[in-house]
Each structure stands twice: as C-alpha cells, then as structure tokens.
Coordinates of all heavy atoms in Angstrom, one line a residue:
G1 N -136.7 -17.5 -64.7 CA -136.8 -16.2 -65.2 C -137.3 -15.2 -64.0 O -138.1 -15.6 -63.3
V2 N -136.8 -13.9 -64.1 CA -137.3 -13.0 -63.0 C -138.0 -11.8 -63.5 O -137.4 -11.3 -64.7 CB -136.2 -12.6 -62.1 CG1 -135.8 -13.7 -61.2 CG2 -134.9 -12.0 -62.9
K3 N -139.0 -11.3 -63.1 CA -139.7 -10.1 -63.4 C -139.9 -9.2 -62.2 O -140.1 -9.8 -61.1 CB -141.0 -10.3 -64.3 CG -140.7 -10.7 -65.7 CD -142.1 -10.6 -66.5 CE -141.7 -11.0 -67.9 NZ -143.1 -11.1 -68.8
T4 N -139.9 -7.9 -62.3 CA -140.1 -7.1 -61.2 C -141.6 -6.8 -61.0 O -142.3 -6.2 -61.9 CB -139.5 -5.7 -61.4 OG1 -138.2 -5.8 -62.1 CG2 -139.3 -4.9 -60.1
L5 N -142.2 -7.2 -59.8 CA -143.5 -6.9 -59.4 C -143.7 -5.4 -59.0 O -144.6 -4.7 -59.4 CB -144.0 -7.9 -58.4 CG -144.2 -9.3 -58.7 CD1 -144.4 -10.1 -57.4 CD2 -145.3 -9.4 -59.6
E6 N -142.7 -5.0 -58.3 CA -142.8 -3.7 -57.7 C -141.4 -3.3 -57.1 O -140.7 -4.2 -56.8 CB -143.8 -3.5 -56.6 CG -143.6 -4.4 -55.4 CD -144.5 -4.2 -54.2 OE1 -145.4 -3.3 -54.4 OE2 -144.4 -5.0 -53.2
F7 N -141.2 -2.0 -56.8 CA -140.1 -1.6 -56.1 C -140.7 -0.9 -54.7 O -141.6 -0.2 -54.8 CB -139.3 -0.3 -56.9 CG -138.5 -0.9 -57.9 CD1 -138.6 -0.5 -59.1 CD2 -137.4 -1.8 -57.6 CE1 -137.8 -1.1 -60.2 CE2 -136.6 -2.3 -58.6 CZ -136.8 -1.9 -59.9
N8 N -139.9 -1.1 -53.7 CA -140.1 -0.4 -52.4 C -138.8 0.4 -52.0 O -137.8 -0.3 -52.3 CB -140.6 -1.3 -51.3 CG -141.9 -1.8 -51.5 OD1 -142.9 -1.1 -52.0 ND2 -142.1 -3.0 -51.0
C9 N -138.9 1.6 -51.6 CA -137.7 2.3 -51.4 C -137.3 2.3 -49.9 O -137.0 3.1 -49.2 CB -138.0 3.7 -51.7 SG -138.2 3.9 -53.4
R10 N -137.4 1.1 -49.4 CA -137.2 0.7 -47.9 C -137.0 -0.8 -47.8 O -137.3 -1.5 -48.7 CB -138.4 1.2 -47.2 CG -139.7 0.6 -47.7 CD -141.0 1.2 -47.3 NE -142.1 0.8 -48.2 CZ -142.8 -0.2 -47.9 NH1 -142.6 -1.0 -46.9 NH2 -143.8 -0.5 -48.8
M11 N -136.7 -1.3 -46.7 CA -136.7 -2.6 -46.4 C -138.1 -3.1 -46.1 O -138.9 -2.3 -45.7 CB -135.8 -3.0 -45.1 CG -134.4 -3.0 -45.5 SD -133.3 -3.7 -44.1 CE -133.7 -5.4 -44.2
G12 N -138.5 -4.3 -46.5 CA -139.7 -4.8 -46.3 C -140.1 -5.1 -44.9 O -139.3 -5.3 -44.1
D13 N -141.4 -5.1 -44.6 CA -141.8 -5.3 -43.3 C -143.0 -6.4 -43.5 O -143.9 -6.0 -44.1 CB -142.4 -4.2 -42.6 CG -142.7 -4.3 -41.1 OD1 -142.8 -5.5 -40.6 OD2 -142.9 -3.3 -40.3
P14 N -142.8 -7.7 -43.1 CA -142.0 -8.3 -42.0 C -140.7 -8.9 -42.4 O -140.1 -9.5 -41.5 CB -142.9 -9.3 -41.3 CG -143.6 -9.8 -42.5 CD -143.8 -8.6 -43.5
E15 N -140.2 -8.6 -43.6 CA -138.8 -9.3 -44.0 C -137.7 -8.9 -43.2 O -136.7 -9.6 -42.9 CB -138.6 -9.1 -45.6 CG -139.6 -9.8 -46.4 CD -140.6 -8.8 -46.8 OE1 -141.0 -7.8 -46.0 OE2 -141.0 -8.9 -48.1
T16 N -137.7 -7.5 -42.8 CA -136.6 -7.0 -42.0 C -136.3 -7.7 -40.8 O -135.1 -7.9 -40.5 CB -136.8 -5.5 -41.7 OG1 -137.1 -4.8 -42.9 CG2 -135.8 -4.8 -40.9
Q17 N -137.3 -8.2 -40.1 CA -137.1 -8.8 -38.7 C -136.3 -10.0 -38.8 O -135.3 -10.2 -38.2 CB -138.4 -9.0 -38.0 CG -139.1 -7.8 -37.7 CD -140.0 -7.1 -38.7 OE1 -139.7 -7.0 -39.9 NE2 -141.3 -6.7 -38.4
P18 N -136.7 -11.0 -39.8 CA -135.8 -12.2 -40.0 C -134.4 -11.9 -40.5 O -133.5 -12.5 -40.1 CB -136.5 -13.2 -41.0 CG -138.0 -12.6 -40.9 CD -138.0 -11.1 -40.6
I19 N -134.4 -10.9 -41.5 CA -133.1 -10.7 -42.1 C -132.0 -10.1 -41.0 O -131.0 -10.5 -40.9 CB -133.2 -9.6 -43.2 CG1 -133.8 -10.3 -44.5 CG2 -131.9 -9.0 -43.7 CD1 -134.2 -9.3 -45.6
L20 N -132.5 -9.2 -40.1 CA -131.6 -8.6 -39.1 C -131.4 -9.6 -38.0 O -130.4 -9.4 -37.4 CB -132.2 -7.3 -38.7 CG -132.2 -6.1 -39.6 CD1 -132.6 -4.7 -39.1 CD2 -130.8 -5.9 -40.3
M21 N -132.2 -10.5 -37.8 CA -132.0 -11.5 -36.8 C -130.7 -12.4 -37.3 O -130.0 -13.0 -36.4 CB -133.2 -12.5 -36.6 CG -134.2 -12.0 -35.8 SD -134.1 -12.3 -34.0 CE -134.1 -14.0 -33.7
R22 N -130.6 -12.6 -38.7 CA -129.5 -13.3 -39.1 C -128.1 -12.4 -39.4 O -127.1 -13.0 -39.6 CB -129.9 -13.9 -40.5 CG -131.0 -15.0 -40.5 CD -131.3 -15.7 -41.7 NE -130.0 -16.2 -42.3 CZ -129.5 -16.0 -43.5 NH1 -130.2 -15.4 -44.4 NH2 -128.5 -16.7 -43.9
L23 N -128.3 -11.1 -39.5 CA -127.1 -10.4 -39.7 C -126.2 -10.3 -38.5 O -126.6 -9.9 -37.3 CB -127.5 -8.9 -40.0 CG -126.4 -7.9 -40.4 CD1 -125.7 -8.3 -41.6 CD2 -126.9 -6.5 -40.5
K24 N -125.0 -10.7 -38.8 CA -123.9 -10.8 -37.7 C -123.0 -9.6 -37.7 O -122.4 -9.3 -36.7 CB -123.1 -12.2 -37.7 CG -124.0 -13.4 -37.3 CD -123.3 -14.7 -37.8 CE -122.4 -15.2 -36.6 NZ -121.9 -16.4 -36.9
S25 N -122.9 -9.0 -38.9 CA -122.1 -7.7 -39.0 C -122.7 -6.6 -38.2 O -123.9 -6.6 -37.9 CB -122.0 -7.4 -40.5 OG -121.6 -8.3 -41.3
D26 N -121.8 -5.6 -37.9 CA -122.2 -4.5 -37.1 C -123.1 -3.6 -38.0 O -122.6 -3.0 -39.0 CB -121.1 -3.7 -36.7 CG -121.4 -2.6 -35.7 OD1 -122.4 -1.8 -36.0 OD2 -120.7 -2.3 -34.6
F27 N -124.4 -3.4 -37.8 CA -125.3 -2.7 -38.6 C -124.9 -1.2 -38.7 O -125.1 -0.5 -39.7 CB -126.7 -2.8 -38.1 CG -127.8 -2.3 -39.0 CD1 -127.8 -2.6 -40.4 CD2 -128.9 -1.7 -38.5 CE1 -128.7 -2.2 -41.3 CE2 -130.0 -1.4 -39.4 CZ -129.9 -1.6 -40.8
L28 N -124.4 -0.6 -37.5 CA -124.0 0.7 -37.6 C -122.9 1.0 -38.6 O -122.8 1.9 -39.4 CB -123.5 1.1 -36.2 CG -123.1 2.7 -36.3 CD1 -124.1 3.6 -36.3 CD2 -122.2 2.8 -34.9
E29 N -121.8 0.1 -38.6 CA -120.7 0.3 -39.5 C -121.1 0.2 -41.0 O -120.5 0.9 -41.8 CB -119.7 -0.9 -39.1 CG -119.1 -0.8 -37.8 CD -118.4 0.6 -37.5 OE1 -117.9 1.3 -38.4 OE2 -118.3 0.9 -36.3

C-alpha cells in the first residue's frame, strides 16, 4: 500500500543526480 508523505514541486536532491545519470533521452527535447 502507498501513502503520500509529502509533495515537492521540483526534482529531489540528491535523487536527480542518479536519475539523470541514467537518462539516455535528450533532456532538452
């Protein structure tokens, strides 16, 4: 089951760094 702890109106830090290391698509596009 899932519940919401909080919302952030942005990408998380430090989660962004590993996520974008894995993104192969063109981020600009």
Side-chain angles (χ1 to χ4, degrees):
V2 289
K3 283 189 176 176
T4 319
L5 290 170
E6 63 175 357
F7 285 119
N8 290 329
C9 295
R10 54 195 163 91
M11 281 187 77
D13 188 345
E15 297 98 325
T16 301
Q17 293 87 314
I19 287 173
L20 290 186
M21 281 274 297
R22 291 187 58 226
L23 181 65
K24 294 169 84 171
S25 304
D26 187 318
F27 193 39
L28 176 72
E29 299 300 337

